[in-house]
Every structure is written in C-alpha cells, then in structure tokens.
Amino acid sequence: MRFLVVSTLLVFGFSFIKTEVVNSFSTCSDFFLNGQPPVIPGILKNSVSQDNNRYKLICQKYQNAYKFATLYDTQKKIPVFSAYRYTGSYKGRPHIPWMIEPQLETYGDAMREPCVNQAFPGDYWAQKSTLRRNLTRGHFFPNCHAADRITAESTFTLTNTAPQYDSFNKGSWNKTEITVRTTMNSHCRNKSDNISAYVLTGAVPSKANLLNKRVNIPSSMWTVFCCYNSKTSTWESQAHWADNKDEQNEEKTINATSVTELQMFMKKTYGSAPTLFHGVDCTKI
Ligand SMILES: *[C@@H]1O[C@H](CO)[C@@H](O)[C@H](O)[C@H]1NC(C)=O
Ligand SMILES: *[C@@H]1O[C@H](CO)[C@@H](O)[C@H](O)[C@H]1NC(C)=O
Ligand SMILES: *[C@@H]1O[C@H](CO)[C@@H](O)[C@H](O)[C@H]1NC(C)=O
Ligand SMILES: *[C@@H]1O[C@H](CO)[C@@H](O)[C@H](O)[C@H]1NC(C)=O
Ligand SMILES: *[C@@H]1O[C@H](CO)[C@@H](O)[C@H](O)[C@H]1NC(C)=O
C-alpha cells in the first residue's frame, strides 16, 4: 500500500489525504454554526445527503484532526460548499502536493487516473496550451483563512477546489477573501478577544462548461460568514458572490450583501431558497 502511494506520488505528483467520507455531518458539526449544517433543497437536510450516490459528505481530516467539512458533488466533481471556522490567519503558503480523497473512489480506482468521482491534478494539466494559464484550482476554504500551517496544508485537497479563471482567482475573488478576513478580524471577537466566525464558501455549477470534459467550471462562487460580535453584543454576517470569469484588465470589486440576498440568489439554482445558518439571526450586515 505504502509502495503504491509512494510510486503514485512519484509518477503523478499527488498524494492522498486520510480524511473521512461520512453519512452525517454530525461527525464534524463543530464547523457549523450551532452545529447545524445548511439546508440546501434536494441536496442536504438534517445533516445528511439527500442523494447519497451523488453528494458526499466529507469531514476533512488531516494529521488526525478534523479541519473543515465539504459537501462534494461527485457528478460535477466540485464542492457544493466547504464549511470552516475562522479563528485567525497564518502568514504563508505551504509547499505540499495536492491531495485527493481515496474514499470517494471504489477500491483500487484511487490508484488510477483519472479518478472517477473527483477532480485530479491531470484535469488541470490537460488544458490546451492556450488555455493553460486560465483555469486554476480555486480553494473554497482558502489558505489565507487558515489559522496555522497544518490547517493551511489541509486545504490543499482537490475536494476543496473548483476550476477558477486565474484572473478571477488572483483578482476580485482574492481581494474578497482578504477583505472578508479583515472584517472578521475586527468584527468577530469573542469575550476573551479571540476571533471566531463560521464561514461557508460554495459554488454554483455551470450548465455544461467543463474542464478536461469532466470537471464543472462553476458559473459563480459565493462566500458567507456569521459571527458573534461581543463588542456590540450582536450577531453579524456578510455575503459575497461573483461570476467566475476572466477579468483581465479590470479592477473588479465584489460588493458585500446580506445572507438573505445570497439565499435568494441561490434559489435560482436550487428551486427554493437554502437556509445557510440556523438558530441565530444572521441577517444583520
Ligand atoms: C485566457 O487568457 C488569455 C490571456 O492570458 C485570454 O486572451 C483568453 O481570452 C483567455 N481564455 C479564456 C477562455 O478565458
Ligand atoms: C491575494 O492578495 C494578497 C494581497 O494583495 C497577495 O499578497 C496574495 O499574493 C494574493 N494571492 C493570490 C493567490 O493572488
Ligand atoms: C473565544 O474563542 C476561542 C477561540 O475560538 C475559544 O477557545 C474560547 O473558548 C472562546 N471564549 C469565549 C469566552 O467564548
Ligand atoms: C485567544 O487569544 C489569546 C490572546 O490573543 C491567545 O493567546 C490564545 O491562544 C487564543 N486562544 C485560542 C484558542 O485561539
Ligand atoms: C458596489 O458598490 C459601489 C459603491 O457602493 C457602487 O457604486 C456599485 O454600483 C456597486 N456595484 C454593484 C455591482 O452593485
């Protein structure tokens, strides 16, 4: 087994993450506000998948600890969302190979390329040379929201990414990740002055825009947080979403909106509106 993993690493340059595909997010409920994951019509309800063959729940475990959670669409081969708790940020970017999730593949398949149920590094290499620079692995739980190096490493798994236009990833979306981080750093302090915010970052899949004829290139990305601000004694939240598209030569800024507006935006995709947070009023911006 170890030999196979090592030789696969040498040949393909990727490694495996020892994480957990679970039946219920109750296994890693800490990453959700009040321990309750979103309700997404037809996809996720009461912490369980509404279509178990397609939507897999992953408690992303790294070095023996749960680091975040991902709801993964094995048909589109991108996440529906990743959920995490933001507690401050580590400065830097670890240099580790991208990992894949062997538990999403049936026995033996994980050693082969391409993976059946998830994106793999070869999907990104297969871009035609003219497109090569355009699509990149866009993080859901971003490296720049990880509290420490080990958590940052844990985000480098293909199940935490979707193809993003490089200019969007480095441009307005990166700017949004940094602005949201700054907002959480100041607004999400608890009584002992520690930062604590619940974040969800997801994608709206495109109808048929595919990378390497396999991996959905999402039409848009969204991100939302909710936290208790002990200075004002209120729950605060903020949502952002934007089209995933080439934005060369544009200085784009993605405006902040409310959780309610994001839920209405998502309704267009899911038929009825999801409930992103439960138990507290996360409607205040
Ligand atoms: C890819 O990027 C180049 C510039 O680097 C641009 O001219 C081209 O339109 C982009 N292609 C797509 C499909 O976005
Ligand atoms: C995101 O923006 C920050 C601040 O401008 C910069 O330091 C960082 O390199 C950017 N990250 C990416 C992936 O472009
Ligand atoms: C504040 O947040 C920290 C880190 O998230 C946590 O360990 C601590 O228990 C919290 N304290 C209070 C008073 O909520
Ligand atoms: C809470 O904040 C204090 C002071 O900044 C820090 O020393 C401590 O490590 C933090 N605790 C957690 C659990 O983040
Ligand atoms: C974003 O906010 C700015 C400043 O408030 C405003 O001028 C602009 O029209 C807004 N953009 C969109 C797309 O709503």
Side-chain angles (χ1 to χ4, degrees):
M1 188 74 173
R2 172 161 299 175
F3 172 75
L4 277 174
V5 172
V6 169
S7 66
T8 306
L9 239 176
L10 290 177
V11 175
F12 302 122
F14 63 91
S15 55
F16 301 106
I17 189 162
K18 277 218 179 62
T19 165
E20 280 179 29
V21 176
V22 295
N23 293 323
S24 164
F25 273 136
S26 57
T27 307
C28 53
S29 60
D30 287 355
F31 303 114
F32 300 98
L33 179 61
N34 275 326
Q36 288 178 281
V39 171
I40 302 182
I43 298 183
L44 184 69
K45 198 178 165 187
N46 296 330
S47 298
V48 300
S49 174
Q50 300 301 289
D51 179 350
N52 226 353
N53 288 328
R54 176 169 173 187
Y55 298 105
K56 300 291 184 184
L57 316 184
I58 306 174
C59 288
Q60 301 271 9
K61 198 178 197 178
Y62 186 69
Q63 301 207 351
N64 296 318
Y66 292 125
K67 296 296 184 185
F68 61 106
T70 299
L71 177 59
Y72 196 76
D73 181 345
T74 57
Q75 190 175 43
K76 305 274 188 208
K77 299 179 178 62
I78 58 171
V80 176
F81 65 72
S82 283
Y84 57 99
R85 212 158 72 85
Y86 174 75
T87 58
S89 63
Y90 146 86
K91 282 163 198 57
R93 191 177 170 95
H95 294 280
I96 57 156
W98 284 91
M99 297 170 283
I100 61 153
E101 170 48 75
Q103 283 185 46
L104 284 181
E105 310 297 326
T106 46
Y107 182 76
D109 282 351
M111 299 302 171
R112 266 191 260 139
E113 286 205 47
C115 297
V116 176
N117 293 318
Q118 66 194 303
F120 75 112
D123 288 318
Y124 288 84
W125 306 334
Q127 298 178 63
K128 286 205 189 77
S129 57
T130 49
L131 290 173
R132 194 158 203 136
R133 291 167 298 149
N134 296 55
L135 287 164
T136 183
R137 282 161 285 214
H139 277 89
F140 282 52
F141 179 6
N143 177 62
C144 68
H145 286 195
D148 51 63
R149 189 176 58 84
I150 300 300
T151 306
E153 288 182 359
S154 77
T155 69
F156 284 78
T157 174
L158 267 294
T159 56
N160 181 43
T161 65
Q164 281 179 8
Y165 287 94
D166 199 40
S167 52
F168 171 69
N169 183 42
K170 292 201 174 99
S172 64
W173 196 247
N174 181 45
K175 208 154 69 174
T176 299
E177 287 169 350
I178 309 259
T179 326
V180 167
R181 185 176 72 183
T182 308
T183 308
M184 294 190 295
N185 284 345
S186 59
H187 288 246
C188 303
R189 298 269 175 179
N190 72 13
K191 291 217 162 56
S192 21
D193 207 35
N194 292 84
I195 304 163
S196 179
Y198 292 88
V199 191
L200 296 163
T201 297
V204 172
S206 61
K207 286 221 166 63
N209 190 12
L210 300 179
L211 170 65
N212 198 22
K213 302 196 180 86
R214 283 171 21 96
V215 183
N216 192 278
I217 302 167
S219 57
S220 51
M221 292 291 302
W222 54 266
T223 187
V224 63
F225 76 82
C226 184
C227 70
Y228 187 71
N229 183 340
S230 65
K231 285 182 203 132
T232 57
S233 302
T234 51
W235 286 89
E236 292 190 23
S237 58
Q238 212 176 56
H240 290 83
W241 74 86
D243 291 342
N244 175 29
K245 60 179 191 205
D246 208 359
E247 54 184 47
Q248 311 245 328
N249 314 319
E250 284 173 73
E251 256 298 313
K252 263 189 70 187
T253 301
I254 304 165
N255 288 353
T257 67
S258 68
V259 176
T260 311
E261 279 173 275
L262 174 60
Q263 290 176 165
M264 293 319 288
F265 168 72
M266 291 172 74
K267 184 179 171 181
K268 287 184 236 159
T269 302
Y270 298 114
S272 49
T275 305
L276 295 173
F277 297 111
H278 298 266
V280 298
D281 185 9
C282 290
T283 54
K284 185 168 176 283
I285 294 200

